[in-house]
Amino acid sequence: MVIRTEGLSYSFGSQQVVKSLSLQVPQGSIYGFLGPNGAGKTTTIKMLLNLLKTGEGSIFVFDKELQTNRIAILKEIGSLIEQPAIYAHMSGRENLLNRAMLLGVNDARVDEMLALVKLSNAAHKKTGQYSLGMKQRLGIALALLSDPKLLILDEPTNGLDPNGIIEIRELLVRLTREHDKTVFISSHLLAEIERMATHVGIINHGEMLFQGSIDDLQAISQPLVYIETDNTVDAANLLTRNGYEVADVNNDSLTVPFTSKKQMGVINGLLNQNGVTVFAINKQQKDLENLFLSITKSN
Amino acid sequence: MKGFLLSFRSEFYKSRKTIGFWGAVLLPLLISLLALAIFYFKSEKFIAMPALALWIQFALVSLGVMGTLLLPVFIIFIGYSVNSVEHRADTWKTLFSLPISRWSVYGAKFAYAVFLVFLCLDLFVLFTISFGNLLSVIKPELKFNTYHLEWELTQIYFKLFLSSLGVLSIQFLMSLLWSDFMKPMGIGLVLTIVGITAASKDWEYAYLMPYAHPMEALQSMFRGQKGPARDIVINVFTKDIYVSVAVAVVVFIAGYFIVQRRSVK
């Protein structure tokens, strides 16, 4: 395990924000740390970086206890917490050079990182003039600068456009597959985590609701087939008669549990053949709220 | 130690394009240029003076403003500027998640603030001496070249530097803990005014107040004379200086324990 916590808890005053968390992050994984805003994700991440004094419990990173091996552990971690911390009066390149100096990293690596996050053209521009997406990319470059074994990223795709999100996702997948890095990434978007994570931890109100591989999660988070028709009631009756379980019906749409793409085609054909006009039919992921409901039910 | 040196270098790198750093260079330059201009255009007022008195009058243009209000205000500003870089960029969390000890990060920042004050006062010495000698070239009737004040002036500014350390440590800590400028600035100014009042009234316990030290230091060297100062008595290590250095050491160490225990936002 790259990260292992035992009974990790934290309180701000009388409010307990992290409750007895036991994280298990295996090596080479992309661990998606999922939870709505205010669930305790950032607090947990700050504890992993020794920025907050651990209330209770213990943290092991690379099998070493964090408090007593702080510097040795931090050497192997690159992090991006909340919005990227960037000096606005300096250019992107200067921000990286400054960090390179502190980390004892070769200057050539700075230009490599700029190219990696596609900021070479804006390298000499003051970061105060960067867009949110550019700042986020620079933040990722800063986190990657020391070529760390473990990357801890707090909502790294915030503010990125769809292309940027795809690029980051591909980069993280490449880092874990080809360079044997481990990525711990937090998000409040289930879909985003599902697309890249190999392991998932779901946290709400400071408590871990689920932890396991992405396959385990998919077993719980069953996707749905979403269908819009001219007559949803008739469509629902027709599907029920044909052995489908209709999860939900309203005036505009109905949903059926997803099993395969082929099944979607069959449903479409069936509806059309029986005179129901299908306006739309697609696969839909459960959102985080519904997933919480399923998890709580399944527990 | 390596972490400390790297952090110190990084402090310079971050500040070299900010008013915090350039203030320490421009302040002595501008004030010394002002003194140069006064002596150049009003040279007739000073021609009759013996060389020592001439140098003293020349140096006092800078020392006068610095020793009273400007040095404390400058220190308040420096204490703020080295910390505000991090407050504004929200970079405390990155600084303290670097593989560098907290002690080095904190120590380097404090050392850099001390360095800026030292640099500023050092440049005052340099510019005063250079411009004095320049005056004896461009205005030969001003006999600056017949006396050497380098050593005395170095001692005076060194004393001023030591006297500023207590204030600097307090201002530094306040600026580290509070991100907004108004608290350290407001508290610093009120204490400065109290300090100046106490020092100028020769209150017997003024030597215990860090904010009175710069003025105390200056007064101790140019006191007891009616009319323009013509002579100096230099005694660098007086009890107010010991108090100033002691306050700096205590506040610096206390600050470290506060940083160590505090969670980083």
Side-chain angles (χ1 to χ4, degrees), chain A residues 77-90:
Chain A
I77 302 182
S79 61
L80 170 63
I81 316 155
E82 295 172 311
Q83 64 276 49
I86 290 167
Y87 300 105
H89 67 282
M90 285 158 48

Side-chain angles (χ1 to χ4, degrees), chain A residues 10 46 50-53 70-71 74-75 81 83 85-87 89 94 97-99 101-103, chain B residues 6 10 13-14 16-18 85-86 89-91 93-94 96 98-102 260 263-265:
Chain A
Y10 193 82
K46 284 187 173 174
N50 197 230
L51 289 172
L52 297 179
K53 296 280 153 195
R70 181 176 171 268
I71 291 180
L74 289 177
K75 259 190 193 140
I81 316 155
Q83 64 276 49
I86 290 167
Y87 300 105
H89 67 282
E94 286 171 330
L97 282 172
N98 177 58
R99 185 74 65 84
M101 185 194 298
L102 288 166
L103 294 168
Chain B
L6 288 173
S10 164
Y13 190 79
K14 282 184 283 196
R16 84 214 138 94
K17 286 182 184 171
T18 64
V85 173
E86 316 301 341
D90 199 10
T91 32
K93 59 191 184 203
T94 11
F96 287 117
L98 289 169
I100 292 176
S101 71
R102 285 166 188 253
Q260 180 79 307
S263 290
V264 181
K265 268 187 233 142

Side-chain angles (χ1 to χ4, degrees), chain A residues 20-39:
Chain A
S20 195
L21 216 57
S22 295
L23 290 170
Q24 302 271 346
V25 180
Q27 174 153 9
S29 63
I30 296 184
Y31 185 101
F33 193 42
L34 198 59
N37 293 328

Side-chain angles (χ1 to χ4, degrees), chain B residues 92-121:
Chain B
W92 289 112
K93 59 191 184 203
T94 11
L95 276 188
F96 287 117
S97 55
L98 289 169
I100 292 176
S101 71
R102 285 166 188 253
W103 178 249
S104 295
V105 172
Y106 167 77
K109 215 169 229 324
F110 183 77
Y112 190 67
V114 172
F115 163 76
L116 285 179
V117 174
F118 186 79
L119 174 73
C120 173
L121 295 177

Side-chain angles (χ1 to χ4, degrees), chain A residues 65 76-77 105 125 148 196 210 258-259 261 271 288 290:
Chain A
E65 205 280 322
E76 307 290 353
I77 302 182
V105 171
K125 198 168 152 183
M196 62 177 144
F210 170 87
F258 175 89
T259 49
K261 281 184 186 171
L271 291 171
L288 206 48
N290 282 319

